[in-house]
Amino acid sequence: MQRSFSFLRRSGFHSAMSYNTKVLRVDPSAIHFSATAHIDGSLPRISDPETEKHLLEAARLIRDDGETVAFPTETVYGLGGSSLNDASVRNIYKAKNRPSDNPLISHVSSIAQLNRRIYQQDREGDVLRNIPVVYHELVRQLWPGPLTILLPINEETALSVLTTAGQPTFAVRIPADPVARALIALSDTPIAAPSANVSTRPSPTAAEHVYHDLKGKIPLILDGGSCRVGVESTVIDGLVNPPMLLRPGGFTYEEIIELGGEQWSHCKVENRMTVGSGEKVRTPGMKYKHYSPRASTVAFAPINDDLPTSERMKIVTSEIMKYMTSHGTDKRQKVGLLTSIMFPNNLLESITDEVDVVVYSLGSSGKEVQSNLFAMLRRLDEEDEVDLIFVEGISDRNEGLAVMNRLRKAAGGNVVSF
Ligand code: TXA
Ligand code: MG
C-alpha cells in the first residue's frame, strides 16, 4: 500500500486534484497597448497596480513553473500553458481531460514574438517573413482578433510536439483581448490555450464557468469579465489549395472571403461533423463530443425560408411534443427553452402544462445569439438544472455558421430542420 501511494505522489497523479484554485480580478480597461504593439511586440502600459500584480503572478506561473492559468480572451476563456514546454502542455490536457491527439492553438502577443519565440529568429527584417503571402491580407486586417492560421512546422520552430499533436503544421493567433495579450506579452511565452472547460462541456465565457469545471485542477483563474464574441476563433488553412475554413468562429466565412484576397474567394468549408476513429483527420477536434450540456438538448435549425411561419411553427410544435413524450418519466420534468427570432416565449406552455418551464432569449441578432449561446446552455444546465433543453437556432449565414456548428454538436444527433 505504502509503496504504490508514494509512486502515485511522485508521478504527479496525486497532486492533480489538489490545487486551491485562486480567482484574481483584472481590469481590461486598465491595459493600454500602442497601435502597433501586435506587430513590434512593445509592452503594454498598465494603469491599475492590482491588475498588473495579478497579471505578473499569472505570467510567472506560466513562464517559470510550467503551470496552467485560465484567462479571458475575446472568444472564450482559455486554459493556458507554455507551448514550448512538454510538461506545461501535459498539464493542460490533464486538467481538461482532453484527448492528446487534438492539437492546441498557440497564442502570441505580436508577430515579432512569433518570429523570436516560436521561429527562434533574433534578426531584424521583414516582420511577415514567416507568414505565407496567402495570409497577409487577413492577418493585416483581422489581427489581433479571433482568426487562427496554420503555419508549417520546420527545423526552426521551438514548439513542444505535444502542442501540435504531431501534425506537420501548427495553429497560431494573436488575441484581441487586452488581458490575454498582456499575459502573453509579460510572460514572453507563446501560450497554448484550448477553451478552459472540461472536455465535452460547453466552452466557458465567464470566469464562473471555468471555476465550475476546473476548480481544484488548476492554480489560478484571471477574471476579466465576460467574453464579447462567445464562440472560438475561426481556424483557416491557407497551406492547401483551395484554402479551407476548418472551424467557423468569431470571424465569419463571408468576412474571410471578402477580405482575404483572390485565393480566399475559392475558400472551402470543412463540413464533416464526425470522423471515423481510424481516419486521419485534418481538424482533429472534429471527431470528439463537444459543447454538450448534461441535459438532453434538441436544436432547431431554420432552413425552410420559403415555408410560411405558421407551417414552420407546426413542425416545431409537433417535434417538441414528440421529444417530451419520449423523454417523459414519472417525475415532473423541468424543460428549458432558448429562443432567438421566431419562437414565442410561451411556446412550451401552449403545448402542455405538464412540465415546468424556464425560458431565456438568446437575442435577436447573429452577434447576440453567438455571444449568449454557451452561457445560456450552462445556465439552464448548472443553475436551473433542467432535464431537457430546446434551442431555436438561426440560419447558417454570417454568425449563423459558427452558432449552428456549436449548437449541432451540443445537440448530438437531435437536430430538427424547420
Ligand atoms: O478562440 C479560440 O481559438 C480559443 C481561445 C482560448 O483562444 N481556443 C480554442 O482552442 O478554441 P482549441 O484547442 O479548443 O481549438 C483548437 C482547434 C481544434 O479544432 C483543433 O483541432 C484545431 O484548432 N487545430 C489546432 N492545430 C491544428 C493543426 N495543426 N491542424 C488542424 N487543426 C488544428
Ligand atoms: Mg474547446
mmCIF file of all heavy atoms in Angstrom, residues 12 37 145 167 222 229 236 397 400 402 416:
data_model
loop_
_atom_site.group_PDB
_atom_site.id
_atom_site.type_symbol
_atom_site.label_atom_id
_atom_site.label_comp_id
_atom_site.label_asym_id
_atom_site.label_seq_id
_atom_site.Cartn_x
_atom_site.Cartn_y
_atom_site.Cartn_z
ATOM 1 N N GLY A 12 2.925 12.547 -9.902
ATOM 2 C CA GLY A 12 2.098 13.738 -10.086
ATOM 3 C C GLY A 12 0.622 13.420 -10.082
ATOM 4 O O GLY A 12 -0.208 14.314 -10.120
ATOM 5 N N ALA A 37 1.631 47.490 -31.320
ATOM 6 C CA ALA A 37 2.208 46.510 -30.383
ATOM 7 C C ALA A 37 2.038 45.071 -30.874
ATOM 8 O O ALA A 37 2.904 44.226 -30.632
ATOM 9 C CB ALA A 37 1.565 46.665 -29.004
ATOM 10 N N GLY A 145 -7.234 39.398 -33.154
ATOM 11 C CA GLY A 145 -8.651 39.039 -33.232
ATOM 12 C C GLY A 145 -8.851 37.546 -33.377
ATOM 13 O O GLY A 145 -7.880 36.783 -33.393
ATOM 14 N N GLN A 167 1.154 16.968 -35.727
ATOM 15 C CA GLN A 167 0.760 17.466 -37.052
ATOM 16 C C GLN A 167 1.974 18.149 -37.712
ATOM 17 O O GLN A 167 2.871 18.630 -37.026
ATOM 18 C CB GLN A 167 -0.362 18.507 -36.919
ATOM 19 C CG GLN A 167 -1.654 17.997 -36.291
ATOM 20 C CD GLN A 167 -2.550 17.298 -37.284
ATOM 21 O OE1 GLN A 167 -2.680 17.709 -38.429
ATOM 22 N NE2 GLN A 167 -3.158 16.201 -36.850
ATOM 23 N N LEU A 222 -7.728 34.089 -14.019
ATOM 24 C CA LEU A 222 -7.818 35.546 -14.113
ATOM 25 C C LEU A 222 -9.240 35.891 -14.530
ATOM 26 O O LEU A 222 -9.721 35.404 -15.559
ATOM 27 C CB LEU A 222 -6.826 36.100 -15.140
ATOM 28 C CG LEU A 222 -5.339 36.009 -14.808
ATOM 29 C CD1 LEU A 222 -4.507 36.579 -15.961
ATOM 30 C CD2 LEU A 222 -5.008 36.730 -13.499
ATOM 31 N N VAL A 229 -17.167 37.861 -27.844
ATOM 32 C CA VAL A 229 -17.547 37.123 -29.059
ATOM 33 C C VAL A 229 -18.393 35.893 -28.715
ATOM 34 O O VAL A 229 -19.444 35.668 -29.310
ATOM 35 C CB VAL A 229 -16.287 36.716 -29.865
ATOM 36 C CG1 VAL A 229 -16.659 35.836 -31.051
ATOM 37 C CG2 VAL A 229 -15.541 37.966 -30.327
ATOM 38 N N ILE A 236 -8.387 28.742 -40.099
ATOM 39 C CA ILE A 236 -8.262 28.617 -41.557
ATOM 40 C C ILE A 236 -6.937 27.977 -41.931
ATOM 41 O O ILE A 236 -5.950 28.086 -41.208
ATOM 42 C CB ILE A 236 -8.382 29.990 -42.266
ATOM 43 C CG1 ILE A 236 -7.326 30.971 -41.747
ATOM 44 C CG2 ILE A 236 -9.779 30.566 -42.090
ATOM 45 C CD1 ILE A 236 -7.252 32.271 -42.555
ATOM 46 N N ARG A 397 -26.187 31.643 -42.329
ATOM 47 C CA ARG A 397 -25.426 32.782 -42.878
ATOM 48 C C ARG A 397 -24.686 33.555 -41.771
ATOM 49 O O ARG A 397 -25.102 33.577 -40.628
ATOM 50 C CB ARG A 397 -26.385 33.727 -43.613
ATOM 51 C CG ARG A 397 -26.900 33.148 -44.930
ATOM 52 C CD ARG A 397 -27.824 34.126 -45.635
ATOM 53 N NE ARG A 397 -29.104 34.278 -44.948
ATOM 54 C CZ ARG A 397 -30.174 33.492 -45.127
ATOM 55 N NH1 ARG A 397 -30.105 32.491 -45.978
ATOM 56 N NH2 ARG A 397 -31.290 33.715 -44.476
ATOM 57 N N GLY A 400 -24.309 32.742 -38.121
ATOM 58 C CA GLY A 400 -25.076 31.502 -38.025
ATOM 59 C C GLY A 400 -24.244 30.254 -38.280
ATOM 60 O O GLY A 400 -24.516 29.203 -37.719
ATOM 61 N N ALA A 402 -21.095 29.574 -37.407
ATOM 62 C CA ALA A 402 -20.410 29.164 -36.165
ATOM 63 C C ALA A 402 -21.433 28.760 -35.100
ATOM 64 O O ALA A 402 -21.258 27.760 -34.393
ATOM 65 C CB ALA A 402 -19.533 30.297 -35.643
ATOM 66 N N VAL A 416 -33.564 19.282 -35.537
ATOM 67 C CA VAL A 416 -34.809 19.319 -36.302
ATOM 68 C C VAL A 416 -34.763 20.494 -37.257
ATOM 69 O O VAL A 416 -34.559 21.636 -36.835
ATOM 70 C CB VAL A 416 -36.012 19.511 -35.351
ATOM 71 C CG1 VAL A 416 -37.305 19.640 -36.151
ATOM 72 C CG2 VAL A 416 -36.093 18.392 -34.329
#
